[in-house]
């Protein structure tokens, strides 16, 4: 297997505190794998055989509830560590990760986790920060789902995605990966019909612009006012 170049991870937070020789050591245990659009990286309740860093593309993380409802938990962007079930004391993955476009991941066997963390404690610190950030985001979404009207939940979801992956374009701030209205419905605990009606109304007000799996925030400040319960 060809040796992976450390330049691949120059901008990956997980490696920020490691000296170059340590990065080489960690990369020596990884392999680079391409996941074509629509491919599962791992499956909910499947054996947690690996952990990952996304180098290119985007992934959708989905969970099916006991009553069969599918929920979009989050999207993974380049540079993110994910699939770290073993760091949470799990032997299986809690959700399914699927590529929404052609994607490339660094993949390590789960059996390497304890050894790598023991040799490089900053990896454990980075992982703790990642888990904490995602827990905080999950708690925020639970509060939103429990207390806010649909319009505010959708506005929060779009703003969160724009902060994560927003790309400036002439029309405004584009969410820089394919995302459907069904995705937004599953992120916000509502229906496709409600999301479609909401976004169509916002398009008429020039708050957003849409297309096939494409959303541009034309007026992010106006959406922020909606999210905070003020008049846009």
């Amino acid at each position: 297997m060809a040796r992976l170049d450390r330049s691949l991870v120059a901008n990956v937070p997980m490696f920020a505190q490691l000296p170059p020789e340590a990065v080489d050591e960690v990369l020596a245990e990884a392999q680079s794998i391409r996941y074509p659009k629509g491919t599962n990286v791992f499956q909910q309740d499947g054996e947690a055989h690996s952990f990952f860093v996304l180098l290119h593309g985007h992934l959708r993380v989905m969970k099916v509830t006991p009553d069969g409802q599918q929920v979009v938990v989050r999207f993974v962007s380049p540079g993110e560590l994910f699939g770290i079930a073993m760091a949470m004391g799990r032997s299986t993955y809690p959700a399914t990760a699927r590529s929404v476009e052609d994607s490339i991941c660094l993949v390590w066997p789960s059996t390497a986790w304890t050894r790598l963390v023991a040799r490089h404690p900053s990896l454990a610190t980075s992982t703790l920060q990642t888990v904490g950030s995602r827990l905080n985001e999950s708690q925020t979404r639970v509060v939103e789902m429990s207390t806010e009207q649909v319009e505010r939940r959708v506005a929060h979801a779009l703003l969160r995605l724009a902060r994560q992956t927003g790309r400036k374009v002439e029309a405004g701030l584009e969410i820089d990966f394919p995302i459907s209205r069904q995705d937004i419905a599953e992120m916000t605990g509502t229906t496709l019909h409600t999301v479609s009606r909401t976004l169509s109304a916002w398009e008429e007000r020039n708050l957003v612009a849409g297309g096939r799996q494409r959303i541009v925030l034309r007026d992010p400040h106006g959406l922020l006012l909606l999210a905070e319960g003020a008049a846009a």
Side-chain angles (χ1 to χ4, degrees):
M1 183 171 59
R3 182 174 179 176
L4 298 171
D5 192 289
R6 72 173 73 113
S7 63
L8 287 171
V9 297
N11 297 315
V12 175
M14 171 181 169
F15 296 96
Q17 304 301 317
L18 294 179
E21 61 274 12
V23 174
D24 289 341
E25 180 184 336
V26 174
L27 288 178
E29 300 206 37
Q31 58 178 320
S32 175
I33 298 180
R34 178 178 177 270
Y35 295 92
K37 180 180 178 180
T39 302
N40 284 353
V41 178
F42 51 76
Q43 186 82 26
Q44 181 175 333
D45 296 326
E47 179 189 357
H49 50 75
S50 305
F51 63 97
F52 310 80
V53 166
L54 183 63
L55 292 181
H56 173 77
H58 287 86
L59 308 175
R60 179 192 297 110
V61 180
M62 308 163 292
K63 188 174 181 66
V64 177
T65 65
D67 62 359
Q69 181 181 357
Q70 180 170 287
V71 178
V72 173
V73 178
R74 62 188 306 274
F75 287 87
V76 181
S77 297
E80 289 193 55
L81 173 69
F82 68 101
I84 46 175
M86 78 298 298
M88 298 182 288
R90 292 185 58 107
S91 60
T92 60
Y93 295 113
T96 296
R98 181 176 300 160
S99 57
V100 298
E101 57 188 348
D102 288 351
S103 301
I104 299 173
C105 297
L106 290 180
V107 184
W108 288 262
S110 292
T111 53
W113 176 257
T114 302
R115 181 175 63 259
L116 290 175
V117 167
R119 288 182 59 82
H120 308 291
S122 66
L123 294 179
T125 302
S126 176
T127 302
L128 183 61
Q129 291 171 342
T130 297
V131 172
S133 175
R134 291 175 190 167
L135 178 60
N136 183 62
E137 180 181 324
S138 296
Q139 291 174 334
T140 298
R141 288 180 60 186
V142 167
V143 171
E144 291 172 2
M145 298 270 280
S146 302
T147 64
E148 295 183 355
Q149 298 295 321
V150 169
E151 187 175 67
R152 291 181 63 188
R153 299 204 304 264
V154 174
H156 274 301
L158 295 184
L159 290 166
R160 207 155 25 234
L161 291 171
R163 284 194 296 270
Q164 182 182 1
T165 69
R167 178 173 65 95
K168 288 186 177 180
V169 296
E170 185 176 351
L173 192 61
E174 182 176 22
I175 296 173
D176 194 22
F177 60 87
I179 183 168
S180 69
R181 294 185 174 191
Q182 182 64 43
D183 289 332
I184 297 169
E186 292 177 6
M187 289 183 72
T188 55
T190 187
T191 64
L192 174 60
H193 173 74
T194 299
V195 168
S196 295
R197 185 181 61 204
T198 299
L199 292 182
S200 294
W202 289 354
E203 287 175 357
E204 292 180 2
R205 295 164 62 183
N206 212 33
L207 292 170
V208 302
R212 189 175 183 276
Q213 295 199 326
R214 176 177 180 266
I215 297 178
V216 178
L217 279 57
R218 297 183 61 89
D219 183 3
H221 181 67
L223 283 178
L224 180 60
L225 291 176
L226 280 174
E228 297 304 321

